[in-house]
Amino acid sequence: MSEGPRKPKYSATRRLLLKSKLLKKAASMLVAEIEAKKHEKERVVSESFPPLKLSGLSVQELQDLCKELHRKIDVVDEARYDMEVKVAKNQKEIETLNLKINELKGVKRPNLKRVKKSADDMLGAYTDTSKLMKADFKANLKTVKKDEEKREEVTDWRKNVEAMSGMEGRKKLFNAGQ
């Protein structure tokens, strides 16, 4: 049906122009949405809390108004606290459910890397003789030469003490230190 590479419907410049127009439109819609939310918030606040009329009130009426406002604040704080507790409880439940989901999925296994094999290894894999042969792992290891450390001969310690006693022993120790 289709032969060769597929040509795009729009050129690159046309796509770039459309993309820029979409981004401008989205930005203007976002600004309008933010403004609408701001006006809605102001409307709800003005309906819920009408402005206070404090002029012409006596001291007793002002105290009563303050007490009433404190009661309303306490009710709102209790509701806010209850909501915070519910949110914290739900978040904890979500975390435990996510842990359960991860446990059910199991640990993700990493992708295995390909191992390069020589031609002999590949031919050996297809023959039955490879099953009979044992793998010689030590054949390919490097050999390391170890320098043998000079070890002092273990002699009877009593003879050593007798040889070191007196001035001759101290002289030997002094000469050995230099």
Side-chain angles (χ1 to χ4, degrees):
M1 292 187 158
S2 64
E3 297 177 15
R6 203 173 105 194
K7 293 184 180 179
K9 291 182 180 181
Y10 300 109
S11 66
T13 55
R14 176 77 174 150
R15 280 183 287 174
L16 185 63
L17 178 69
L18 289 174
K19 184 177 179 181
S20 64
K21 284 186 177 182
L22 282 173
L23 288 174
K24 285 180 184 177
K25 181 67 176 174
S28 65
M29 288 174 66
L30 184 63
V31 169
E33 184 179 341
I34 290 172
E35 287 293 323
K37 283 184 179 180
K38 184 178 177 183
H39 291 298
E40 179 67 19
K41 183 177 179 180
E42 289 175 2
R43 186 187 61 79
V44 169
V45 168
S46 65
E47 286 178 4
S48 300
F49 307 105
L52 296 175
K53 297 175 184 173
L54 301 176
S55 61
L57 295 178
S58 68
V59 175
Q60 184 62 33
E61 290 174 341
L62 286 174
Q63 287 177 351
D64 291 340
L65 180 64
C66 288
K67 288 179 183 177
E68 183 183 339
L69 289 176
H70 278 288
R71 280 193 294 271
K72 287 182 179 180
I73 289 172
D74 288 340
V75 169
V76 170
D77 280 344
E78 287 177 9
R80 181 183 54 83
Y81 178 76
D82 290 343
M83 293 298 274
E84 286 178 357
V85 169
K86 285 181 183 178
V87 167
K89 182 180 176 185
N90 287 340
Q91 285 178 343
K92 199 171 194 179
E93 185 177 347
I94 288 170
E95 288 176 10
T96 56
L97 290 174
N98 282 336
L99 287 175
K100 287 181 181 179
I101 288 171
N102 289 337
E103 288 175 4
L104 290 175
K105 284 183 181 178
V107 179
K108 185 176 180 182
R109 294 182 183 170
N111 293 334
L112 298 177
K113 296 181 180 178
R114 293 182 181 256
V115 178
K116 294 182 180 179
K117 289 187 173 184
S118 65
D120 294 334
D121 291 338
M122 290 170 63
L123 289 175
Y126 293 117
T127 61
D128 292 333
T129 57
S130 64
K131 294 179 182 176
L132 300 174
M133 294 172 36
K134 289 186 178 179
D136 187 15
F137 294 111
K138 294 181 181 180
N140 295 331
L141 295 177
K142 294 180 180 178
T143 57
V144 179
K145 295 181 181 178
K146 290 185 179 180
D147 295 332
E148 292 186 21
E149 297 176 9
K150 295 181 181 177
R151 295 184 182 178
E152 296 181 19
E153 292 183 18
V154 179
T155 58
D156 191 12
W157 62 273
R158 285 178 232 121
K159 292 178 184 176
N160 195 15
V161 169
E162 290 173 4
M164 291 295 189
S165 64
M167 289 300 286
E168 294 172 9
R170 290 188 183 145
K171 187 177 178 183
K172 287 180 185 174
L173 286 175
F174 180 73
N175 290 337
Q178 293 179 349

